[in-house]
């Protein structure tokens, strides 16, 4: 691609407008790239691009063969420079991309503008299939909130076992994420240890943590999660629709962090977010107990539940022991990965939508 002096360079994807210029250049993150054919047999590429300002779709057509070839060779999550014509399709913006390439050092692009602040904390991490799980703890002192808020928590707790701390751990409005464990779901021959992004307690020393634990703030943890989701083909969870993703999305809203990947709007779809719980139960509660622990037992896999369980995360965090929480979190990811591979082999590959 030649220098952008002859083309209008849009600083943000959100600034693209239809009809303002014939050809426009921009920097973006390549979020997805899917090849297809029209009914007439015409080859095209569906492309999804993003930066911190938003997400936009595009098409690469067969009449630009060099762009098609280049797109096939570019990995997901890469920073790219594109030349395109802004068009409207069914009332939405769609880019007709005529040139695309990976950015070079002399392009003058901003990685923070593409990937968001904190992306360097996970720059070396790349997943084809990212299996993940989170751990949460209370983050609110009820003695310091308005009485109506404290009463709302107490009233909700009374419906269960009366444990205010448990209610706050399970609510993104009163709790916080202290760890996200993630691993590669496709690494069969060379399995990788899960990596855990963790928020160390104030009374702990993060310098003593092992290398597989990456200490950071909760806002950075959330930014890293959404960045990793952008550059993976598939996100896998166990009950992620019911808990993990809504919790992460709401905590992101609390911190003013953009939720840059839609993992919630299609709860029974297999991509981009595969919730194993939804696949196995289809949302039915009439099948009996259906926890990850139960499925591991039934399928013959090592259960993630040992001396530690979810009720012990908050007191363990209060003691300053983030490493034990991360080990427990990583165990859940290892178990979820085993269930995913079993389900993929014996169920998913026979579904038309897989």
């Amino acid at each position: 691609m030649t220098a952008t002096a002859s083309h209008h360079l849009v600083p943000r994807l959100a600034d693209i407008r239809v009809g303002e210029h014939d050809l426009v250049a921009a920097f973006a993150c390549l979020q997805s790239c899917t090849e297809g054919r029209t009914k007439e047999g015409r080859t095209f590429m569906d492309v999804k691009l993003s930066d911190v300002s938003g997400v936009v779709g595009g098409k690469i057509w067969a009449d630009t063969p060099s762009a098609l070839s280049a797109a096939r060779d570019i990995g997901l999550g890469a920073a790219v420079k594109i030349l395109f014509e802004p068009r409207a399709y069914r009332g939405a913006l769609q880019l007709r991309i005529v040139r695309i390439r990976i950015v070079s050092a002399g392009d003058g692009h901003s990685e923070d503008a593409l990937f968001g602040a904190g992306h360097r904390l996970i720059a070396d991490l790349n997943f084809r299939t990212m299996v993940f799980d989170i751990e949460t703890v209370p983050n609110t002192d009820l003695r310091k909130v308005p009485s109506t808020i404290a009463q709302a928590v107490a009233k909700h707790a009374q419906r269960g076992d009366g444990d205010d701390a448990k209610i706050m751990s399970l609510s993104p409005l009163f709790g916080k994420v202290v760890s996200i464990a993630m691993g590669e779901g496709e690494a069969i021959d060379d399995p990788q240890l899960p990596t855990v992004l963790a928020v160390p307690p104030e009374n702990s020393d993060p310098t003593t943590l092992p290398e597989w634990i990456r200490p950071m703030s909760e806002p950075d943890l959330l930014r890293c999660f959404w960045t990793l989701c952008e550059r993976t083909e598939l996100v896998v969870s166990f009950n992620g629709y019911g808990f993990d993703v809504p919790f992460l999305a709401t905590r992101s809203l609390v911190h003013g962090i953009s939720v840059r990947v839609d993992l919630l709007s299609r709860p029974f779809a297999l991509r981009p977010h595969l919730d194993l719980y939804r696949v196995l139960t289809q949302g039915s509660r009439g099948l009996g107990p259906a926890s990850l622990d139960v499925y591991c037992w039934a399928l013959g896999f090592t259960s993630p539940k040992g001396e530690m369980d979810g009720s012990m995360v908050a007191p363990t965090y209060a003691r300053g022991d983030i490493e034990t929480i991360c080990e427990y979190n990583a165990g859940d990811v290892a178990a979820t990965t085993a269930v995913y591979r079993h389900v993929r082999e014996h169920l998913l590959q026979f579904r038309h939508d897989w």
Side-chain angles (χ1 to χ4, degrees):
M1 191 179 299
T2 57
T4 58
S6 58
H7 304 293
H8 177 67
L9 178 63
V10 178
R12 305 185 313 154
L13 296 180
D15 297 328
I16 297 172
R17 297 292 182 269
V18 176
E20 289 187 359
H21 302 273
D22 292 333
L23 286 175
V24 181
F27 298 114
C29 168
L30 182 62
Q31 198 175 105
S32 69
C33 194
T34 306
E35 193 164 342
R37 289 183 182 274
T38 65
K39 293 180 180 179
E40 297 76 23
R42 188 184 180 197
T43 302
F44 67 90
M45 194 85 76
D46 262 324
V47 176
K48 186 178 291 185
L49 301 149
S50 67
D51 65 9
V52 294
S53 72
V55 179
V56 64
K59 279 272 199 305
I60 305 175
W61 291 100
D63 57 0
T64 54
S66 60
L68 271 176
S69 177
R72 293 186 184 108
D73 295 333
I74 298 174
L76 297 184
V80 297
K81 189 176 184 179
I82 56 174
L83 186 65
F84 59 93
E85 180 184 351
R87 292 184 173 183
Y89 179 71
R90 293 182 177 177
L93 175 67
Q94 185 182 88
L95 313 184
R96 180 182 180 275
I97 299 169
V98 298
R99 301 184 74 178
I100 182 171
R101 66 165 172 81
I102 294 177
V103 298
S104 60
D107 282 330
H109 70 290
S110 166
E111 289 191 349
D112 285 353
L114 295 185
F115 305 114
H119 69 95
R120 293 180 181 84
L121 297 169
I122 40 85
D124 61 318
L125 290 181
N126 286 285
F127 301 99
R128 178 183 170 191
T129 296
M130 186 176 79
V131 184
F132 84 98
D133 181 69
I134 71 173
E135 298 300 335
T136 64
V137 301
N139 190 42
T140 305
D141 186 344
L142 293 180
R143 296 170 299 179
K144 298 180 180 180
V145 302
S147 59
T148 54
I149 304 301
Q151 290 167 9
V153 173
K155 184 176 180 180
H156 201 86
Q158 287 173 3
R159 300 174 186 171
D161 54 13
D163 188 343
D164 291 352
K166 179 180 179 180
I167 295 301
M168 290 190 292
S169 289
L170 298 177
S171 167
L173 302 177
F174 299 97
K176 68 177 182 179
V177 186
V178 294
S179 71
I180 301 181
M182 54 197 69
E184 174 55 66
E186 309 300 337
I188 298 175
D189 297 330
D190 183 24
Q192 303 172 1
L193 289 173
T195 298
V196 183
L197 313 182
V199 182
E202 293 182 0
N203 58 336
S204 67
D205 181 6
T207 63
T208 63
L209 295 174
E211 290 185 357
W212 56 273
I213 300 176
R214 303 192 183 196
M216 60 187 68
S217 67
E218 188 191 24
D220 278 341
L221 175 147
L222 295 166
R223 294 187 188 100
C224 289
F225 174 77
W226 298 117
T227 297
L228 287 168
C229 287
E230 278 190 315
R231 59 194 198 207
T232 188
E233 295 180 18
L234 178 66
V235 176
V236 177
S237 71
F238 194 94
N239 197 33
Y241 275 100
F243 179 71
D244 302 71
V245 179
F247 200 105
L248 291 165
T250 303
R251 289 305 297 166
S252 297
L253 293 178
V254 168
H255 288 291
I257 295 167
S258 296
V259 179
R260 299 169 60 187
V261 182
D262 178 13
L263 301 180
L264 284 174
S265 65
R266 301 171 62 203
F268 292 100
L270 302 184
R271 300 177 187 275
H273 176 196
L274 173 66
D275 183 341
L276 293 169
Y277 176 80
R278 293 286 177 120
V279 169
L280 293 167
T281 67
Q282 289 297 295
S284 172
R285 297 183 179 273
L287 298 177
S291 66
L292 179 59
D293 185 34
V294 170
Y295 269 104
C296 285
W297 170 81
L299 298 176
F301 301 128
T302 301
S303 171
K305 310 304 178 186
E307 296 182 1
M308 182 92 170
D309 63 37
S311 67
M312 300 169 65
V313 171
T316 302
Y317 192 77
R319 293 196 305 270
D321 186 3
I322 188 64
E323 186 171 348
T324 296
I325 294 172
C326 291
E327 289 172 350
Y328 170 67
N329 198 185
D332 273 352
V333 165
T336 303
T337 301
V339 174
Y340 161 68
R341 292 173 181 167
H342 191 78
V343 171
R344 178 193 60 192
E345 178 180 355
H346 298 288
L347 175 62
L348 294 177
Q349 67 172 321
F350 302 103
R351 286 185 52 159
H352 73 278
D353 51 350
W354 178 244

